[in-house]
């Protein structure tokens, strides 16, 4: 019937627009990264390696968590929604050093040995939560047009 055809057409139009679901995905991803900072990696299953003895002494005086001296790195992480994707990024050059670790000379020739402290990491739970939140968003959007006509 025409009512069913119209309902299908409306549903297809709703499903063609990925942006609402991608905005939900952005929030879920940013929250997972925030959790990694808050728990120093424990929320994603692997606590960040502790500071070196030297840096531990420095930080005892000023306090703070690993990767969270002044919050600049954490605050720099943003999410951008495009037509059919979400981009999570930061413009801080040192983010990759902390996320992947680094051993070797820095740009001034000093030897560095910075352990990996992966904050851009998602657990199986995070992926399941992401899928669940996206599905809920789609169902919610489709149910808003729950009238067959």
């Amino acid at each position: 019937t025409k009512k069913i055809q119209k309902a299908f057409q409306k549903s297809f139009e709703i499903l063609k627009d990925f942006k609402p679901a991608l905005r939900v995905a952005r929030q879920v991803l940013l929250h997972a990264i925030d959790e990694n900072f808050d728990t120093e990696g424990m929320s994603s299953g692997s606590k960040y390696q502790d500071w070196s003895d030297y840096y531990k002494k420095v930080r005892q005086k000023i306090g703070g968590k690993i990767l969270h001296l002044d919050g600049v790195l954490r605050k720099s992480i943003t999410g951008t929604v495009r037509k059919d994707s979400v981009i999570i990024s930061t413009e801080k050059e040192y983010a990759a050093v902390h996320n992947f670790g680094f051993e070797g000379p820095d740009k001034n020739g000093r030897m560095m040995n910075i352990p990996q402290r992966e904050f851009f990491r998602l657990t199986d739970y995070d992926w399941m939560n992401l899928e669940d939140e996206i599905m809920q968003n789609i169902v919610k959007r489709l149910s808003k047009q729950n009238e067959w006509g």
Side-chain angles (χ1 to χ4, degrees):
T1 71
K2 289 195 186 273
K3 281 187 175 183
I4 293 173
Q5 281 180 322
K6 190 173 182 180
F8 274 119
Q9 285 173 340
K10 281 175 119 178
S11 296
F12 288 136
E13 288 303 313
I14 287 170
L15 293 175
K16 278 200 267 185
D17 182 10
F18 293 126
K19 277 194 170 183
L22 292 173
R23 283 192 286 274
V24 168
R26 174 185 57 198
Q27 291 308 111
V28 170
L29 295 169
L30 290 173
H31 178 74
I33 292 167
D34 253 3
E35 284 292 308
N36 286 332
F37 277 98
D38 283 342
T39 65
E40 297 181 322
M42 286 301 295
S43 63
S44 60
S46 182
K47 184 164 174 42
Y48 298 153
Q49 184 175 325
D50 206 358
W51 293 310
S52 67
D53 290 338
Y54 168 78
Y55 199 65
K56 199 179 292 185
K57 288 177 188 175
V58 171
R59 288 302 292 262
Q60 283 176 344
K61 294 176 185 172
I62 56 176
K65 292 182 177 186
I66 295 173
L67 291 187
H68 203 268
L69 175 61
D70 52 16
V72 171
L73 175 60
R74 184 180 187 168
K75 291 173 193 169
S76 74
I77 298 169
T78 61
T80 304
V81 175
R82 302 259 172 95
K83 182 180 176 186
D84 58 1
S85 63
V86 175
I87 299 170
I88 305 295
S89 63
T90 176
E91 293 186 9
K92 298 298 177 192
E93 291 180 16
Y94 61 89
V97 168
H98 289 294
N99 195 63
F100 300 111
F102 176 77
E103 188 172 339
D106 69 6
K107 60 184 174 186
N108 297 318
R110 293 178 299 179
M111 288 305 290
M112 305 291 289
N113 185 8
I114 299 174
Q116 180 179 23
R117 294 184 176 114
E118 192 175 8
F119 52 90
F120 269 99
R121 176 180 25 184
L122 300 177
T123 63
D124 290 342
Y125 172 80
D126 293 326
W127 286 111
M128 288 187 316
N129 186 37
L130 180 62
E131 183 178 317
D132 185 50
E133 291 291 331
I134 289 171
M135 290 304 295
Q136 285 182 37
N137 177 270
I138 291 169
V139 168
K140 182 179 175 182
R141 288 171 48 220
L142 286 172
S143 68
K144 281 184 178 178
Q145 66 103 35
N146 63 7
E147 297 175 12
W148 292 83

